[in-house]
Amino acid sequence: MEYTSGAASWQKVLRRAVAGLLPRRARQRRAGWSIGVPLIAAAAGLLFTTTATTAGGTALREDRRPQLNQLIEERREQVAASEERAAALRQDVEERTTALGEQDGPIKAQQDRALATRQSAGFTALTGPGVTVELNDAPRRDQLPEGVSNDDLVVHQGDVQAVVNALWAGGAEAMSIMNVRVLATSAVRCVGNTLLLHGRVYSPPFKIVAIGDPAAMQKALAESEGVRWFKDAVDHYQLGYRENASTVTVPAFGDSTALRSAAVAK
């Protein structure tokens, strides 16, 4: 009896131990899920909210190129309107200054001094012998050759700068890019395969016109390492390069002439 009672006692102890273990494991699982499920739901809700805000009521995979093109066109129209207004204001300032100079001797003297330097400063249109260079992207292809990327088939900022620098080095007296007069302070930048110049965007082909000694400028183009690299790309990737000497015209500089700093000439 004692042995049986002892066995029964051990059985009861084991059952209680097993019964005590099972609920604890179940509670641990339920506790983990009870914490994890709200966290997952909160993360999913945050993701859905962010997606909806980003989409702005439209499909995220929707092709937005038409919207981007429309935005670019609107900005171009705004820039053009601002330029027309700026030109009208500059004309008004010049007329008022001229009228004032007729009544004030010192002002008249400074006006005459400024007029004498307008041509060298780039504020008058010029016509004369020169060189025209045109750079263009390669034709579009459905399939690129092995080892060739789209980046190899477009005109880059360095290509335009190489031509511009060579023309200046060859003695160019005046220059325009895309029929826009450029000065020593003009910056040539490319965004993708478009040219950004004086706040306006231009697409290829990029036309560069320079007035000066055609022979000297063409010699400088031939000796320019950057131009030679581009001509090599013309041979390999069918990029466009045209160069010819003729009588050319460059317009007057028409953008803002505001100075950030100045010093008295000695």
Side-chain angles (χ1 to χ4, degrees), residues 248-260:
V248 297
T249 299
V250 296
F253 183 79
D255 289 292
S256 174
T257 58
L259 296 177
R260 296 183 180 179

Side-chain angles (χ1 to χ4, degrees), residues 158-167 169 217-232 241:
D159 303 324
V160 179
Q161 287 178 331
V163 172
V164 170
N165 292 340
L167 292 172
M217 290 189 291
Q218 289 183 309
K219 182 175 183 293
L221 288 168
E223 294 175 350
S224 168
E225 184 177 25
V227 176
R228 287 201 303 270
W229 286 346
F230 185 81
K231 288 181 178 179
D232 289 341
Y241 181 90

Side-chain angles (χ1 to χ4, degrees), residues 88-141:
L89 291 173
R90 285 195 294 267
Q91 181 65 27
D92 184 42
V93 169
E94 289 180 3
E95 291 175 356
R96 291 173 182 267
T97 304
T98 300
L100 183 61
E102 294 175 354
Q103 304 172 6
D104 190 304
I107 291 180
K108 177 64 173 175
Q110 292 302 320
Q111 288 177 345
D112 293 340
R113 179 187 176 191
L115 287 173
T117 60
R118 284 183 65 84
Q119 178 172 323
S120 59
F123 296 108
T124 59
L126 293 176
T127 299
V131 172
T132 300
V133 178
E134 187 176 289
L135 308 178
N136 200 3
D137 293 345
R140 292 183 176 273
R141 305 180 186 181

